[in-house]
Amino acid sequence: MGLSLHADHLKLYKDLLVLAAKYGRSDLLKHAPLVDDLPTDHSASSSPPEATELPKDLERLGPTFIKLGQLLSTRADFIPPAYLEGLARLQDHVEPFSFGDVEAIVTVEIGARISKAFSEFESEPIAAASLGQVHRAALRDGRQVAVKVQRPHVREQVAKDLDVLQEVAHLLDAHTETGRRHEFSTIVEELRKSLIRELDYRLEASNLRFLGDKLAHFKRLVVPQPVDDYSTGRVLTMDYIAGRKITRLGPLAKLEMDGDILAEDLFRAYLQQILIDGFFHADPHPGNVFLTDDGRIALLDLGMTARIDSHLQEEILKLLLFIADGQADRAAESAMRMGDKHEDFDELQFRRRIGEIVARQEDASVTQRQIGREIMEVKLIAADTGIRVPAELTMLGKTLLNLDLVGRTLAPDFDPTESIRRNAGEILRERAWKTLRSGTFFTALLETKELVEKLPMRLNQFLELVASNKLRLQIDAVDEDLLMAGMQKVANRITVGLILAALIVGAAMLMHVPTNFRIFGYPGFAILFFLGASAGAIALVISILRGDRHK
């Protein structure tokens, strides 16, 4: 499939070509590690010039590429640390849009002027992101809220940018081996779905309510709740959470908080979301995780979420437990069951590389164990060896990579592997209880009841047939009559052929026997045998041809 050039996309094509030419041969692609921590010393001499220029270039391309940069800033599995530092700035330091646009959008969306709907509304945003920005405000009843307002015309811009990215992805998939292996079109399509969901603030409001309800029993966690009357598709009003990003906590603040307990609660909350609820907050980067003034952890920005079905939940739980217990073969089996195998799937290489992950995890220190890294490695190994894994696995790996960073910030000695072992029993009990409460369990129970009720009667009927020698086994394989008729016909032809061969051999032998009975000057009996064999051969050939033509 070729690249279909559209006139209104020409400028973006040019910008993408310039971007590819600038960074295609840089350290961004040459020396990308699988996973690495952010360096503690970001001196100018240690970072290539492109690392500081990339965020600016993405900002110039618009909100879609800013969002792409944000996603890359969380992908330490293939982005070098020097570039991570620059891309991390895109998480909450995007240039804000004017307050005039904010007033116009809010007035149209909620149907009232800001001065009428709010008692206070700060003109300067407290955060600006690629798709929108957040302002602090207060309702008429004094309730402190945060108002998230979508950027003007961002939906049209995103749709146009995604069309171009999809065209480029199709071109790469059709003409490059890397594209065929990694299916860039699927990646762009997943980005499209994610952005469409993020651009509908009504979905985010629903996510806030759902997650807040599911995590209500975690007293050290808080999820801001939406104000429905002041929320629409482009404006989201929710509780204001006072606090600081966990990556900005000073040494004194870290000493005052109970980091081990907070890290354990946060990790348990995500295990519940992923392995029990099947719905999780998919973007827990440091900009979205706050330490509140009262010492709790706040989860913000639920525009990016993901769902996992029951089958994938079970395989992920098995995979994590097998890796934690050092069972390489069973971990490989579980990983293979997660995806679809290509025709060129290299199972031997897949098992060997999964075994390396397990061995490395066993030898790793507490601070080196990273669940997100392991999931991303499994995903990359699957792609390299010929397994197409669900897109949810990639989202899960990215989520856990961010969670690893958050956990190490709260408690440097926190061990996620041990947390999985500690919580495995509770997770299994919750999954069993969830199954008991679901309609699927009661349907299976009714079917089991019906089986038990009818089993004695059917067993009695079976035993009677056996005792009376009336049991018959019917196998629908081939037509036995047709098979026997065909075999008989083949046997007849073979018999006739043998007889004809015997006549020809007999005729040849009689040619040497002296006799007065001659035909055409040759021994008569020999000629008769030969003529009979010839007539029979002709008749057999005619019969074969007629029979085959009829079939």
Side-chain angles (χ1 to χ4, degrees), residues 480-494:
E480 295 87 349
D481 294 337
L482 181 62
L483 178 63
M484 293 304 299
M487 292 180 66
Q488 185 177 8
K489 189 173 294 186
V490 171
N492 291 340
R493 289 179 178 179
I494 292 174

Side-chain angles (χ1 to χ4, degrees), residues 145-210:
V145 294
V147 183
K148 187 175 181 180
V149 184
Q150 197 169 103
R151 287 183 176 271
H153 312 299
V154 69
R155 297 189 180 194
E156 295 83 353
Q157 183 64 45
V158 165
K160 177 181 176 181
D161 293 343
L162 286 172
D163 286 343
V164 173
L165 288 175
Q166 192 69 68
E167 292 169 0
V168 175
H170 280 307
L171 179 69
L172 294 173
D173 289 352
H175 299 288
T176 68
E177 179 60 31
T178 303
R180 282 187 287 271
R181 173 70 73 179
H182 294 281
E183 298 178 338
F184 293 126
S185 298
T186 303
I187 296 174
V188 174
E189 186 59 30
E190 289 301 321
L191 177 62
R192 181 192 299 273
K193 292 177 182 178
S194 175
L195 285 172
I196 288 174
R197 289 193 295 266
E198 285 197 66
L199 287 169
D200 188 351
Y201 288 171
R202 291 168 297 187
L203 289 177
E204 185 171 351
S206 176
N207 294 339
L208 289 169
R209 284 191 295 270
F210 182 83

Side-chain angles (χ1 to χ4, degrees), residues 189-494:
E189 186 59 30
E190 289 301 321
L191 177 62
R192 181 192 299 273
K193 292 177 182 178
S194 175
L195 285 172
I196 288 174
R197 289 193 295 266
E198 285 197 66
L199 287 169
D200 188 351
Y201 288 171
R202 291 168 297 187
L203 289 177
E204 185 171 351
S206 176
N207 294 339
L208 289 169
R209 284 191 295 270
F210 182 83
L211 194 63
D213 178 65
K214 292 295 183 181
L215 302 183
H217 60 286
F218 289 93
K219 302 305 179 184
R220 295 181 181 85
L221 302 182
V222 58
V223 178
Q225 293 302 289
V227 182
D228 292 333
D229 293 340
Y230 290 80
S231 299
T232 67
R234 299 174 64 200
V235 173
L236 173 60
T237 304
M238 56 192 154
D239 296 329
Y240 174 75
I241 304 293
R244 292 166 291 173
K245 285 197 281 185
I246 62 167
T247 51
R248 292 186 176 176
L249 298 177
L252 183 59
K254 291 182 179 181
L255 288 174
E256 293 176 349
M257 71 177 183
D258 199 339
D260 291 327
I261 295 178
L262 289 175
E264 177 70 15
D265 272 11
L266 182 63
F267 199 76
R268 283 180 54 238
Y270 270 87
L271 289 178
Q272 175 186 305
Q273 294 175 59
I274 295 166
L275 301 175
I276 299 174
D277 300 332
F279 173 88
F280 63 94
H281 178 212
D283 195 20
H285 68 72
N288 290 337
V289 181
F290 272 40
L291 179 68
T292 67
D293 292 343
D294 59 358
R296 295 183 294 171
I297 294 292
L299 300 179
L300 309 178
D301 192 0
L302 264 72
M304 186 181 296
T305 59
R307 293 186 179 274
I308 298 182
D309 61 36
S310 179
H311 168 71
L312 189 57
Q313 284 178 316
E314 292 182 1
E315 295 302 337
I316 289 171
L317 177 57
K318 291 177 184 177
L319 177 64
L320 294 177
L321 289 174
F322 291 150
I323 291 176
D325 293 337
Q327 301 183 51
D329 287 339
R330 301 185 71 180
E333 291 288 346
S334 181
M336 284 190 287
R337 288 194 295 268
M338 289 186 190
D340 299 323
K341 301 173 185 176
H342 294 284
E343 292 182 359
D344 59 346
F345 170 56
D346 189 343
E347 182 174 346
L348 184 61
Q349 182 185 4
F350 181 82
R351 288 181 177 275
R352 179 181 59 79
R353 293 176 64 180
I354 294 295
E356 292 173 355
I357 294 177
V358 175
R360 188 168 61 246
Q361 189 276 337
E362 288 183 307
D363 296 335
S365 64
V366 171
T367 56
Q368 292 174 330
R369 293 174 184 171
Q370 300 178 43
I371 300 299
R373 172 186 177 132
E374 293 164 3
I375 295 295
M376 290 307 302
E377 281 188 313
V378 169
K379 184 264 178 187
L380 293 173
I381 291 171
D384 289 342
T385 55
I387 295 182
R388 182 189 293 110
V389 297
E392 293 84 357
L393 191 65
T394 303
M395 186 72 75
L396 174 63
K398 182 185 77 68
T399 299
L400 292 175
L401 274 173
N402 284 313
L403 197 61
D404 286 335
L405 175 59
V406 173
R408 290 198 306 273
T409 304
L410 291 171
D413 294 330
F414 177 69
D415 188 351
T417 301
E418 282 301 320
S419 181
I420 290 176
R421 288 195 183 100
R422 285 194 299 270
N423 293 286
E426 182 181 349
I427 291 170
L428 292 173
R429 285 194 299 271
E430 287 293 330
R431 285 186 57 82
W433 180 240
K434 181 181 178 181
T435 303
L436 287 174
R437 290 179 295 179
S438 68
T440 305
F441 172 76
F442 292 107
T443 301
L445 193 62
L446 288 174
E447 292 177 349
T448 304
K449 172 179 172 293
E450 182 181 358
L451 174 64
V452 172
E453 288 176 346
K454 295 183 177 180
L455 183 60
M457 178 186 66
R458 291 176 176 173
L459 185 59
N460 187 43
Q461 291 174 345
F462 173 77
L463 293 175
E464 286 183 358
L465 289 174
V466 173
S468 59
N469 200 25
K470 294 181 179 179
L471 183 65
R472 296 290 183 269
L473 183 62
Q474 182 177 353
I475 300 176
D476 293 329
V478 295
D479 189 332
E480 295 87 349
D481 294 337
L482 181 62
L483 178 63
M484 293 304 299
M487 292 180 66
Q488 185 177 8
K489 189 173 294 186
V490 171
N492 291 340
R493 289 179 178 179
I494 292 174

